[in-house]
């Protein structure tokens, strides 16, 4: 089987360069084109320290897409992501989206185009396998345990709260059932804020402190017993590589937009 030919947008970034170095170590996936505005016309391997990546970086996704590929990987910024994804679909290639920050409206538009050209788009805000498993295990727990809360831990300079992964978890659990606290939040005596933010019926608490990287906890409580499911990521982009590679290998089995790595986890 020839390798899956990948066009990697954001190949010089924190997440994209880690993925590029991992692809250089695989035999079934190959980078045929890469995008970065500031490093255009340089060899990707020279920029990210991987001599096996000999391809020349293109200044834009449109230029990179003139080189035939099977899968376009989007790892740039929210303001360019949708444009890149639509350009890739226009070239008839499948798309993996790692970039966060696209809106539901963006995804609806992408889905319409992807179905029209019968190509797959797999978008996941967090490719870390242990984060994906936390979501799955928490969904299983929420079917049986009607009360839970979510804690999201991150480094002190993370500006947004709660994290996208915590929001996604709350939304997924809300589709199973509504978490109802024994004392309604509005009846809290003292400081209501101490009970966290109510996101899709889950109470979500965000900790932002030096010394933390990225962690997520789903806490489930029943009379005289409790269950904690926790994901921890370190400070490198390594946790996101295996999930992104799985998405690249499987996206061609999909048609239309699919959100979350679950779409291909068991296939
Ligand atoms: N799904 C996941 O598991 C996961 C994991 C980590 C990060 N992310 C998300 O992935 C995205 C990238 O994160 P990062 O930390 O890797 O960012 P980063 O280090 O700033 O890298 C961004 C990359 O995109 C390129 N880029 C930016 N704007 C561009 C444009 N308009 N056209 C072409 N290339 C452009 C940059 O190169 P130039 O500036 O030279 O163009 C660079 O190569 C973010 O949305 C982040 O939240 C997702």
């Amino acid at each position: 089987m020839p390798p899956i030919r990948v066009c990697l947008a954001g190949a010089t970034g924190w997440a994209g360069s880690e993925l590029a170095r991992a692809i250089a170590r695989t035999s079934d996936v190959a980078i045929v084109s890469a995008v970065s505005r500031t490093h255009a016309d340089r060899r990707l391997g020279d920029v990210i320290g991987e001599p096996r990546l000999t391809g020349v970086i293109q200044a834009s996704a449109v230029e990179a897409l003139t080189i035939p590929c099977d899968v376009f990987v989007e790892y740039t910024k929210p303001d360019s992501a949708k444009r890149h994804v639509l350009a890739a679909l226009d070239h008839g290639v499948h798309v993996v989206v790692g970039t966060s920050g696209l809106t539901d409206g963006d995804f609806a538009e992408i889905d319409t185009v992807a179905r029209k050209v019968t190509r797959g788009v797999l978008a996941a805000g967090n490719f870390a396998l242990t984060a994906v498993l936390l979501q799955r295990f928490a969904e299983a727990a929420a079917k049986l345990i009607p009360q839970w809360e979510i804690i999201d831990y991150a480094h002190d300079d993370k500006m947004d709260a709660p994290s996208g992964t915590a929001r996604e978890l709350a939304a997924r659990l809300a589709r199973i059932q509504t978490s109802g606290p024994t004392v309604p939040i509005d009846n809290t005596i003292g400081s209501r804020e101490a009970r966290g933010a109510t996101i899709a019926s889950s109470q979500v608490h965000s900790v932002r402190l030096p010394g933390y990287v990225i962690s997520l906890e789903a806490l489930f409580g029943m009379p005289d017993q409790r269950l904690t499911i926790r994901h921890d990521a370190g400070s490198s982009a390594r946790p996101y590589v295996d999930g992104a590679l799985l998405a690249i290998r499987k996206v061609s089995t999909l048609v239309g937009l699919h959100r979350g790595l679950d779409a291909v986890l068991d296939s």
Side-chain angles (χ1 to χ4, degrees):
M1 282 273 281
I4 301 166
R5 299 168 302 169
V6 166
C7 173
L8 178 52
T12 59
W14 180 73
S17 63
E18 192 71 33
L19 177 61
R21 284 187 286 270
I23 290 175
R25 296 190 294 270
T26 69
S27 55
D28 62 330
V29 182
I31 295 175
V32 294
S33 55
V35 186
S36 149
R37 294 158 305 172
T38 50
H39 299 287
D41 301 327
R42 294 185 60 195
R43 275 161 50 121
L44 176 59
D46 293 343
V47 177
I48 67 169
E50 171 48 80
R52 283 172 287 189
L53 297 170
T54 54
V56 173
I57 296 170
Q58 310 293 315
S60 71
V62 170
E63 287 166 85
L65 282 163
T66 60
I67 299 166
C69 66
D70 304 304
V71 176
F72 179 87
V73 178
E74 165 52 44
Y75 246 146
T76 64
K77 293 286 169 196
D79 58 356
S80 46
K82 185 175 85 173
R83 180 165 37 87
H84 291 171
V85 172
L86 294 177
L89 289 173
D90 194 42
H91 278 76
V93 297
H94 302 282
V95 182
V96 169
V97 185
T99 311
S100 51
L102 288 170
T103 65
D104 287 344
D106 294 334
F107 282 125
E109 191 179 337
I110 288 167
D111 184 45
T112 302
V113 176
R115 286 181 191 283
K116 203 166 148 194
V117 298
T118 58
R119 290 294 177 274
V121 178
L122 183 50
N126 194 329
F127 279 123
L129 288 177
T130 54
V132 175
L133 289 173
L134 179 150
Q135 305 231 4
R136 274 203 167 184
F137 297 156
E139 282 178 324
K143 286 182 184 151
L144 302 170
I145 306 175
Q147 283 181 277
W148 63 81
E149 303 206 4
I150 296 169
I151 309 181
D152 135 48
Y153 304 85
H155 41 93
D156 57 318
D157 55 353
K158 183 171 172 59
M159 299 288 288
D160 58 309
S163 69
T165 314
R167 281 184 187 280
E168 199 177 304
L169 176 61
R172 287 175 64 147
L173 296 185
R175 288 200 283 273
I176 307 242
Q177 64 171 310
T178 300
S179 173
T182 304
V183 175
I185 300 299
D186 286 339
N187 295 357
T188 303
I189 296 170
S191 178
R192 187 209 174 285
E193 290 74 19
R195 297 289 293 114
T198 307
I199 311 267
S201 96
S202 290
Q203 291 312 116
V204 183
H205 313 264
S206 291
V207 177
R208 296 290 178 266
L209 279 174
Y212 283 82
V213 185
I214 295 286
S215 300
L216 188 64
E217 265 179 12
L219 312 174
F220 291 83
M222 298 181 83
D224 216 20
Q225 54 183 320
R226 60 179 183 262
L227 170 69
T228 303
I229 309 172
R230 182 178 168 115
H231 151 77
D232 296 288
S235 56
S236 81
R238 185 68 188 83
Y240 312 107
V241 164
D242 293 335
L245 277 172
L246 181 65
I248 290 168
R249 290 179 176 123
K250 298 286 185 170
V251 67
S252 66
T253 64
L254 305 174
V255 172
L257 172 81
H258 296 259
R259 291 176 73 173
L261 199 61
D262 296 52
V264 295
L265 211 51
D266 301 319
S267 63

